Amino acid sequence: MYVEPANAWFDVSRTLIDWIDGQKAVLIVARNVTARKKAEQELIHANDIHNYALINARGFSWEFDVSSETIQFSSSIEESVGYKASELNGSFSRYLEKLKSNDATHVMKNLREYASGKIEEFALEHSLLTSDNERKWILAKGKFLDDNQDMVCG
């Protein structure tokens, strides 16, 4: 594939090698990585759009590891409920403590049923205690990201 040099990205490496009759030579290898760079830029752009949409929707994303029962939240959770992601990241029980007891029971039941295949879709509405001690309704939707069914993301 030919690409105009002004519009191309190259990965260039050099090394000193032994050449004929003990002479030293510099070997330079240039690889065209334009396609990889364009894909990286498109991924960054898509991620920016996703983050912008979350912020404008006053939403946040999350990842739940089923086997370790740990959870990670995007930084936009602060806009939604007032907590920094670091305050809730880690143990899922920290998140459950912010729910009404019957909501916490319902969340765990729904997650277990989804993980076992009893229900096809993880979608759950529950109330969360905000950092201002107010209740805010959360609609959590998620799906498994891998075939091992270890990580639910929403």
Side-chain angles (χ1 to χ4, degrees):
M1 160 176 104
Y2 177 77
V3 178
E4 286 292 322
N7 299 324
W9 288 87
F10 290 92
D11 180 22
V12 180
S13 61
R14 64 179 169 78
T15 188
L16 190 61
I17 61 172
D18 291 323
W19 196 246
I20 303 169
D21 295 331
Q23 295 179 6
K24 300 288 183 184
V26 176
L27 176 64
I28 299 173
V29 176
R31 291 183 309 136
N32 186 336
V33 294
T34 304
R36 185 188 83 206
K37 281 299 211 179
K38 284 183 178 179
E40 288 172 0
Q41 289 170 340
E42 289 171 6
L43 184 59
I44 289 168
H45 180 70
N47 191 41
D48 288 344
I49 290 171
H50 174 258
N51 287 336
Y52 184 70
L54 281 175
I55 289 168
N56 283 323
R58 298 268 193 258
F60 55 90
S61 60
W62 49 272
E63 295 178 7
F64 177 68
D65 186 315
V66 174
S67 57
S68 67
E69 291 195 357
T70 56
I71 193 162
Q72 300 294 316
F73 292 95
S74 65
S75 60
S76 55
I77 191 170
E78 189 170 3
E79 290 282 324
S80 301
V81 294
Y83 295 110
K84 288 185 165 65
S86 60
E87 293 177 85
L88 293 177
N89 283 347
S91 172
F92 190 55
S93 62
R94 269 191 261 171
Y95 182 75
L96 293 176
E97 289 169 3
K98 307 295 181 192
L99 307 181
K100 290 182 179 177
S101 62
N102 60 334
D103 279 346
T105 302
H106 192 58
V107 166
M108 289 307 297
K109 179 179 180 273
N110 200 284
L111 272 171
R112 285 190 190 106
E113 287 178 351
Y114 179 66
S116 69
K118 287 183 181 174
I119 57 175
E120 291 183 27
E121 180 179 280
F122 179 78
L124 181 65
E125 193 171 356
H126 59 282
S127 67
L128 175 71
L129 185 66
T130 68
S131 62
D132 296 332
N133 286 324
E134 296 177 12
R135 290 274 167 202
K136 186 171 256 190
W137 285 97
I138 305 292
L139 174 59
K141 291 183 174 187
K143 69 176 207 166
F144 284 113
L145 284 188
D146 58 10
D147 292 336
N148 298 332
Q149 297 189 341
D150 288 333
M151 188 70 69
V152 181
C153 294

PDB file of all heavy atoms in Angstrom, residues 96-123:
ATOM      1  N   LEU A  96     -23.037  -1.544  47.295  1.00  0.00           N
ATOM      2  CA  LEU A  96     -24.276  -2.077  47.865  1.00  0.00           C
ATOM      3  C   LEU A  96     -24.672  -1.349  49.151  1.00  0.00           C
ATOM      4  O   LEU A  96     -25.854  -1.203  49.448  1.00  0.00           O
ATOM      5  CB  LEU A  96     -24.143  -3.576  48.128  1.00  0.00           C
ATOM      6  CG  LEU A  96     -24.018  -4.466  46.891  1.00  0.00           C
ATOM      7  CD1 LEU A  96     -23.795  -5.915  47.293  1.00  0.00           C
ATOM      8  CD2 LEU A  96     -25.214  -4.326  45.976  1.00  0.00           C
ATOM      9  N   GLU A  97     -23.681  -0.861  49.913  1.00  0.00           N
ATOM     10  CA  GLU A  97     -23.966  -0.114  51.146  1.00  0.00           C
ATOM     11  C   GLU A  97     -24.732   1.176  50.864  1.00  0.00           C
ATOM     12  O   GLU A  97     -25.417   1.693  51.748  1.00  0.00           O
ATOM     13  CB  GLU A  97     -22.665   0.232  51.878  1.00  0.00           C
ATOM     14  CG  GLU A  97     -21.984  -0.952  52.507  1.00  0.00           C
ATOM     15  CD  GLU A  97     -20.578  -0.620  52.992  1.00  0.00           C
ATOM     16  OE1 GLU A  97     -20.154   0.562  52.894  1.00  0.00           O
ATOM     17  OE2 GLU A  97     -19.908  -1.550  53.467  1.00  0.00           O
ATOM     18  N   LYS A  98     -24.623   1.695  49.656  1.00  0.00           N
ATOM     19  CA  LYS A  98     -25.299   2.945  49.287  1.00  0.00           C
ATOM     20  C   LYS A  98     -26.728   2.708  48.795  1.00  0.00           C
ATOM     21  O   LYS A  98     -27.436   3.644  48.462  1.00  0.00           O
ATOM     22  CB  LYS A  98     -24.512   3.684  48.189  1.00  0.00           C
ATOM     23  CG  LYS A  98     -23.048   3.919  48.510  1.00  0.00           C
ATOM     24  CD  LYS A  98     -22.874   4.840  49.674  1.00  0.00           C
ATOM     25  CE  LYS A  98     -21.394   5.070  49.942  1.00  0.00           C
ATOM     26  NZ  LYS A  98     -21.158   5.720  51.214  1.00  0.00           N
ATOM     27  N   LEU A  99     -27.152   1.438  48.760  1.00  0.00           N
ATOM     28  CA  LEU A  99     -28.490   1.095  48.296  1.00  0.00           C
ATOM     29  C   LEU A  99     -29.392   0.772  49.478  1.00  0.00           C
ATOM     30  O   LEU A  99     -28.913   0.415  50.552  1.00  0.00           O
ATOM     31  CB  LEU A  99     -28.437  -0.131  47.377  1.00  0.00           C
ATOM     32  CG  LEU A  99     -27.486  -0.091  46.190  1.00  0.00           C
ATOM     33  CD1 LEU A  99     -27.606  -1.384  45.407  1.00  0.00           C
ATOM     34  CD2 LEU A  99     -27.758   1.098  45.305  1.00  0.00           C
ATOM     35  N   LYS A 100     -30.697   0.879  49.277  1.00  0.00           N
ATOM     36  CA  LYS A 100     -31.631   0.366  50.274  1.00  0.00           C
ATOM     37  C   LYS A 100     -31.419  -1.139  50.347  1.00  0.00           C
ATOM     38  O   LYS A 100     -31.051  -1.780  49.361  1.00  0.00           O
ATOM     39  CB  LYS A 100     -33.070   0.661  49.857  1.00  0.00           C
ATOM     40  CG  LYS A 100     -33.447   2.115  49.923  1.00  0.00           C
ATOM     41  CD  LYS A 100     -34.908   2.266  49.531  1.00  0.00           C
ATOM     42  CE  LYS A 100     -35.350   3.697  49.600  1.00  0.00           C
ATOM     43  NZ  LYS A 100     -36.735   3.869  49.160  1.00  0.00           N
ATOM     44  N   SER A 101     -31.682  -1.723  51.506  1.00  0.00           N
ATOM     45  CA  SER A 101     -31.396  -3.157  51.669  1.00  0.00           C
ATOM     46  C   SER A 101     -32.157  -4.014  50.669  1.00  0.00           C
ATOM     47  O   SER A 101     -31.603  -4.959  50.117  1.00  0.00           O
ATOM     48  CB  SER A 101     -31.682  -3.611  53.094  1.00  0.00           C
ATOM     49  OG  SER A 101     -33.049  -3.429  53.392  1.00  0.00           O
ATOM     50  N   ASN A 102     -33.437  -3.689  50.402  1.00  0.00           N
ATOM     51  CA  ASN A 102     -34.179  -4.497  49.433  1.00  0.00           C
ATOM     52  C   ASN A 102     -33.643  -4.284  48.014  1.00  0.00           C
ATOM     53  O   ASN A 102     -33.671  -5.187  47.192  1.00  0.00           O
ATOM     54  CB  ASN A 102     -35.682  -4.244  49.517  1.00  0.00           C
ATOM     55  CG  ASN A 102     -36.061  -2.798  49.247  1.00  0.00           C
ATOM     56  OD1 ASN A 102     -35.263  -1.878  49.464  1.00  0.00           O
ATOM     57  ND2 ASN A 102     -37.278  -2.584  48.793  1.00  0.00           N
ATOM     58  N   ASP A 103     -33.125  -3.073  47.707  1.00  0.00           N
ATOM     59  CA  ASP A 103     -32.500  -2.837  46.397  1.00  0.00           C
ATOM     60  C   ASP A 103     -31.210  -3.626  46.269  1.00  0.00           C
ATOM     61  O   ASP A 103     -30.921  -4.197  45.218  1.00  0.00           O
ATOM     62  CB  ASP A 103     -32.221  -1.345  46.177  1.00  0.00           C
ATOM     63  CG  ASP A 103     -33.456  -0.576  45.721  1.00  0.00           C
ATOM     64  OD1 ASP A 103     -34.449  -1.215  45.326  1.00  0.00           O
ATOM     65  OD2 ASP A 103     -33.409   0.663  45.747  1.00  0.00           O
ATOM     66  N   ALA A 104     -30.424  -3.669  47.335  1.00  0.00           N
ATOM     67  CA  ALA A 104     -29.161  -4.417  47.308  1.00  0.00           C
ATOM     68  C   ALA A 104     -29.434  -5.897  47.062  1.00  0.00           C
ATOM     69  O   ALA A 104     -28.740  -6.543  46.257  1.00  0.00           O
ATOM     70  CB  ALA A 104     -28.399  -4.213  48.616  1.00  0.00           C
ATOM     71  N   THR A 105     -30.446  -6.425  47.723  1.00  0.00           N
ATOM     72  CA  THR A 105     -30.831  -7.830  47.525  1.00  0.00           C
ATOM     73  C   THR A 105     -31.266  -8.057  46.080  1.00  0.00           C
ATOM     74  O   THR A 105     -30.876  -9.051  45.456  1.00  0.00           O
ATOM     75  CB  THR A 105     -31.983  -8.205  48.489  1.00  0.00           C
ATOM     76  OG1 THR A 105     -31.542  -7.962  49.822  1.00  0.00           O
ATOM     77  CG2 THR A 105     -32.376  -9.658  48.335  1.00  0.00           C
ATOM     78  N   HIS A 106     -32.037  -7.133  45.545  1.00  0.00           N
ATOM     79  CA  HIS A 106     -32.539  -7.242  44.173  1.00  0.00           C
ATOM     80  C   HIS A 106     -31.389  -7.156  43.160  1.00  0.00           C
ATOM     81  O   HIS A 106     -31.358  -7.896  42.171  1.00  0.00           O
ATOM     82  CB  HIS A 106     -33.571  -6.147  43.916  1.00  0.00           C
ATOM     83  CG  HIS A 106     -34.347  -6.318  42.661  1.00  0.00           C
ATOM     84  ND1 HIS A 106     -35.102  -7.440  42.390  1.00  0.00           N
ATOM     85  CD2 HIS A 106     -34.486  -5.510  41.587  1.00  0.00           C
ATOM     86  CE1 HIS A 106     -35.666  -7.320  41.209  1.00  0.00           C
ATOM     87  NE2 HIS A 106     -35.309  -6.155  40.693  1.00  0.00           N
ATOM     88  N   VAL A 107     -30.414  -6.273  43.391  1.00  0.00           N
ATOM     89  CA  VAL A 107     -29.251  -6.143  42.503  1.00  0.00           C
ATOM     90  C   VAL A 107     -28.481  -7.460  42.469  1.00  0.00           C
ATOM     91  O   VAL A 107     -28.141  -7.973  41.397  1.00  0.00           O
ATOM     92  CB  VAL A 107     -28.331  -4.984  42.954  1.00  0.00           C
ATOM     93  CG1 VAL A 107     -26.972  -5.062  42.267  1.00  0.00           C
ATOM     94  CG2 VAL A 107     -28.988  -3.638  42.676  1.00  0.00           C
ATOM     95  N   MET A 108     -28.187  -8.019  43.634  1.00  0.00           N
ATOM     96  CA  MET A 108     -27.421  -9.275  43.685  1.00  0.00           C
ATOM     97  C   MET A 108     -28.190 -10.419  43.032  1.00  0.00           C
ATOM     98  O   MET A 108     -27.604 -11.208  42.300  1.00  0.00           O
ATOM     99  CB  MET A 108     -27.066  -9.620  45.138  1.00  0.00           C
ATOM    100  CG  MET A 108     -26.029  -8.703  45.737  1.00  0.00           C
ATOM    101  SD  MET A 108     -24.515  -8.553  44.736  1.00  0.00           S
ATOM    102  CE  MET A 108     -23.889 -10.227  44.762  1.00  0.00           C
ATOM    103  N   LYS A 109     -29.488 -10.493  43.280  1.00  0.00           N
ATOM    104  CA  LYS A 109     -30.309 -11.551  42.673  1.00  0.00           C
ATOM    105  C   LYS A 109     -30.279 -11.423  41.148  1.00  0.00           C
ATOM    106  O   LYS A 109     -30.087 -12.408  40.431  1.00  0.00           O
ATOM    107  CB  LYS A 109     -31.747 -11.447  43.193  1.00  0.00           C
ATOM    108  CG  LYS A 109     -32.705 -12.467  42.619  1.00  0.00           C
ATOM    109  CD  LYS A 109     -34.102 -12.293  43.213  1.00  0.00           C
ATOM    110  CE  LYS A 109     -35.067 -13.295  42.653  1.00  0.00           C
ATOM    111  NZ  LYS A 109     -35.710 -12.872  41.419  1.00  0.00           N
ATOM    112  N   ASN A 110     -30.441 -10.199  40.649  1.00  0.00           N
ATOM    113  CA  ASN A 110     -30.452  -9.955  39.217  1.00  0.00           C
ATOM    114  C   ASN A 110     -29.098 -10.301  38.593  1.00  0.00           C
ATOM    115  O   ASN A 110     -29.041 -10.931  37.529  1.00  0.00           O
ATOM    116  CB  ASN A 110     -30.827  -8.496  38.952  1.00  0.00           C
ATOM    117  CG  ASN A 110     -31.322  -8.265  37.555  1.00  0.00           C
ATOM    118  OD1 ASN A 110     -30.528  -8.233  36.634  1.00  0.00           O
ATOM    119  ND2 ASN A 110     -32.627  -8.095  37.394  1.00  0.00           N
ATOM    120  N   LEU A 111     -28.007  -9.912  39.250  1.00  0.00           N
ATOM    121  CA  LEU A 111     -26.667 -10.233  38.739  1.00  0.00           C
ATOM    122  C   LEU A 111     -26.449 -11.740  38.688  1.00  0.00           C
ATOM    123  O   LEU A 111     -25.918 -12.270  37.706  1.00  0.00           O
ATOM    124  CB  LEU A 111     -25.585  -9.593  39.605  1.00  0.00           C
ATOM    125  CG  LEU A 111     -25.170  -8.185  39.249  1.00  0.00           C
ATOM    126  CD1 LEU A 111     -24.268  -7.599  40.321  1.00  0.00           C
ATOM    127  CD2 LEU A 111     -24.485  -8.136  37.896  1.00  0.00           C
ATOM    128  N   ARG A 112     -26.839 -12.441  39.748  1.00  0.00           N
ATOM    129  CA  ARG A 112     -26.664 -13.907  39.781  1.00  0.00           C
ATOM    130  C   ARG A 112     -27.483 -14.586  38.683  1.00  0.00           C
ATOM    131  O   ARG A 112     -27.012 -15.509  38.026  1.00  0.00           O
ATOM    132  CB  ARG A 112     -27.047 -14.447  41.150  1.00  0.00           C
ATOM    133  CG  ARG A 112     -26.003 -14.158  42.206  1.00  0.00           C
ATOM    134  CD  ARG A 112     -26.302 -14.911  43.508  1.00  0.00           C
ATOM    135  NE  ARG A 112     -25.426 -14.413  44.543  1.00  0.00           N
ATOM    136  CZ  ARG A 112     -25.817 -13.613  45.544  1.00  0.00           C
ATOM    137  NH1 ARG A 112     -27.080 -13.242  45.645  1.00  0.00           N
ATOM    138  NH2 ARG A 112     -24.945 -13.200  46.438  1.00  0.00           N
ATOM    139  N   GLU A 113     -28.723 -14.127  38.496  1.00  0.00           N
ATOM    140  CA  GLU A 113     -29.577 -14.713  37.458  1.00  0.00           C
ATOM    141  C   GLU A 113     -29.007 -14.448  36.066  1.00  0.00           C
ATOM    142  O   GLU A 113     -29.052 -15.316  35.202  1.00  0.00           O
ATOM    143  CB  GLU A 113     -31.006 -14.173  37.573  1.00  0.00           C
ATOM    144  CG  GLU A 113     -31.763 -14.726  38.762  1.00  0.00           C
ATOM    145  CD  GLU A 113     -33.163 -14.161  38.902  1.00  0.00           C
ATOM    146  OE1 GLU A 113     -33.518 -13.209  38.173  1.00  0.00           O
ATOM    147  OE2 GLU A 113     -33.909 -14.682  39.755  1.00  0.00           O
ATOM    148  N   TYR A 114     -28.470 -13.263  35.876  1.00  0.00           N
ATOM    149  CA  TYR A 114     -27.854 -12.944  34.579  1.00  0.00           C
ATOM    150  C   TYR A 114     -26.608 -13.799  34.361  1.00  0.00           C
ATOM    151  O   TYR A 114     -26.409 -14.364  33.291  1.00  0.00           O
ATOM    152  CB  TYR A 114     -27.522 -11.454  34.497  1.00  0.00           C
ATOM    153  CG  TYR A 114     -26.869 -11.063  33.198  1.00  0.00           C
ATOM    154  CD1 TYR A 114     -27.560 -11.149  31.990  1.00  0.00           C
ATOM    155  CD2 TYR A 114     -25.551 -10.622  33.165  1.00  0.00           C
ATOM    156  CE1 TYR A 114     -26.961 -10.812  30.797  1.00  0.00           C
ATOM    157  CE2 TYR A 114     -24.946 -10.277  31.964  1.00  0.00           C
ATOM    158  CZ  TYR A 114     -25.655 -10.366  30.789  1.00  0.00           C
ATOM    159  OH  TYR A 114     -25.062 -10.039  29.598  1.00  0.00           O
ATOM    160  N   ALA A 115     -25.776 -13.901  35.392  1.00  0.00           N
ATOM    161  CA  ALA A 115     -24.536 -14.687  35.280  1.00  0.00           C
ATOM    162  C   ALA A 115     -24.819 -16.161  35.030  1.00  0.00           C
ATOM    163  O   ALA A 115     -24.071 -16.834  34.313  1.00  0.00           O
ATOM    164  CB  ALA A 115     -23.694 -14.521  36.546  1.00  0.00           C
ATOM    165  N   SER A 116     -25.917 -16.674  35.584  1.00  0.00           N
ATOM    166  CA  SER A 116     -26.247 -18.092  35.401  1.00  0.00           C
ATOM    167  C   SER A 116     -27.020 -18.356  34.117  1.00  0.00           C
ATOM    168  O   SER A 116     -27.270 -19.503  33.767  1.00  0.00           O
ATOM    169  CB  SER A 116     -27.049 -18.602  36.597  1.00  0.00           C
ATOM    170  OG  SER A 116     -28.333 -18.010  36.600  1.00  0.00           O
ATOM    171  N   GLY A 117     -27.425 -17.297  33.414  1.00  0.00           N
ATOM    172  CA  GLY A 117     -28.160 -17.461  32.166  1.00  0.00           C
ATOM    173  C   GLY A 117     -29.663 -17.554  32.345  1.00  0.00           C
ATOM    174  O   GLY A 117     -30.386 -17.789  31.372  1.00  0.00           O
ATOM    175  N   LYS A 118     -30.169 -17.366  33.572  1.00  0.00           N
ATOM    176  CA  LYS A 118     -31.610 -17.427  33.798  1.00  0.00           C
ATOM    177  C   LYS A 118     -32.334 -16.258  33.136  1.00  0.00           C
ATOM    178  O   LYS A 118     -33.489 -16.383  32.735  1.00  0.00           O
ATOM    179  CB  LYS A 118     -31.925 -17.444  35.288  1.00  0.00           C
ATOM    180  CG  LYS A 118     -31.603 -18.750  35.964  1.00  0.00           C
ATOM    181  CD  LYS A 118     -32.004 -18.724  37.425  1.00  0.00           C
ATOM    182  CE  LYS A 118     -31.635 -20.046  38.090  1.00  0.00           C
ATOM    183  NZ  LYS A 118     -31.891 -19.998  39.532  1.00  0.00           N
ATOM    184  N   ILE A 119     -31.668 -15.118  33.064  1.00  0.00           N
ATOM    185  CA  ILE A 119     -32.235 -13.983  32.337  1.00  0.00           C
ATOM    186  C   ILE A 119     -31.244 -13.576  31.255  1.00  0.00           C
ATOM    187  O   ILE A 119     -30.029 -13.724  31.415  1.00  0.00           O
ATOM    188  CB  ILE A 119     -32.565 -12.779  33.265  1.00  0.00           C
ATOM    189  CG1 ILE A 119     -31.338 -12.311  34.046  1.00  0.00           C
ATOM    190  CG2 ILE A 119     -33.703 -13.117  34.197  1.00  0.00           C
ATOM    191  CD1 ILE A 119     -31.573 -11.068  34.880  1.00  0.00           C
ATOM    192  N   GLU A 120     -31.760 -13.106  30.131  1.00  0.00           N
ATOM    193  CA  GLU A 120     -30.912 -12.814  28.975  1.00  0.00           C
ATOM    194  C   GLU A 120     -30.287 -11.428  29.015  1.00  0.00           C
ATOM    195  O   GLU A 120     -29.301 -11.177  28.340  1.00  0.00           O
ATOM    196  CB  GLU A 120     -31.726 -12.955  27.691  1.00  0.00           C
ATOM    197  CG  GLU A 120     -32.103 -14.380  27.389  1.00  0.00           C
ATOM    198  CD  GLU A 120     -32.850 -14.493  26.076  1.00  0.00           C
ATOM    199  OE1 GLU A 120     -32.651 -13.637  25.193  1.00  0.00           O
ATOM    200  OE2 GLU A 120     -33.633 -15.438  25.939  1.00  0.00           O
ATOM    201  N   GLU A 121     -30.873 -10.527  29.791  1.00  0.00           N
ATOM    202  CA  GLU A 121     -30.412  -9.144  29.776  1.00  0.00           C
ATOM    203  C   GLU A 121     -30.299  -8.627  31.202  1.00  0.00           C
ATOM    204  O   GLU A 121     -31.178  -8.866  32.029  1.00  0.00           O
ATOM    205  CB  GLU A 121     -31.446  -8.305  29.017  1.00  0.00           C
ATOM    206  CG  GLU A 121     -31.129  -6.852  28.911  1.00  0.00           C
ATOM    207  CD  GLU A 121     -32.204  -6.123  28.114  1.00  0.00           C
ATOM    208  OE1 GLU A 121     -32.160  -6.184  26.868  1.00  0.00           O
ATOM    209  OE2 GLU A 121     -33.084  -5.520  28.748  1.00  0.00           O
ATOM    210  N   PHE A 122     -29.187  -7.940  31.489  1.00  0.00           N
ATOM    211  CA  PHE A 122     -29.059  -7.314  32.799  1.00  0.00           C
ATOM    212  C   PHE A 122     -29.562  -5.883  32.681  1.00  0.00           C
ATOM    213  O   PHE A 122     -28.952  -5.045  32.015  1.00  0.00           O
ATOM    214  CB  PHE A 122     -27.614  -7.322  33.302  1.00  0.00           C
ATOM    215  CG  PHE A 122     -27.478  -6.645  34.636  1.00  0.00           C
ATOM    216  CD1 PHE A 122     -27.858  -7.301  35.793  1.00  0.00           C
ATOM    217  CD2 PHE A 122     -27.002  -5.350  34.736  1.00  0.00           C
ATOM    218  CE1 PHE A 122     -27.769  -6.676  37.030  1.00  0.00           C
ATOM    219  CE2 PHE A 122     -26.903  -4.722  35.959  1.00  0.00           C
ATOM    220  CZ  PHE A 122     -27.284  -5.382  37.114  1.00  0.00           C
ATOM    221  N   ALA A 123     -30.695  -5.601  33.291  1.00  0.00           N
ATOM    222  CA  ALA A 123     -31.271  -4.257  33.325  1.00  0.00           C
ATOM    223  C   ALA A 123     -31.993  -4.140  34.658  1.00  0.00           C
ATOM    224  O   ALA A 123     -32.847  -4.961  34.989  1.00  0.00           O
ATOM    225  CB  ALA A 123     -32.237  -4.036  32.175  1.00  0.00           C
TER     226      ALA A 123
END
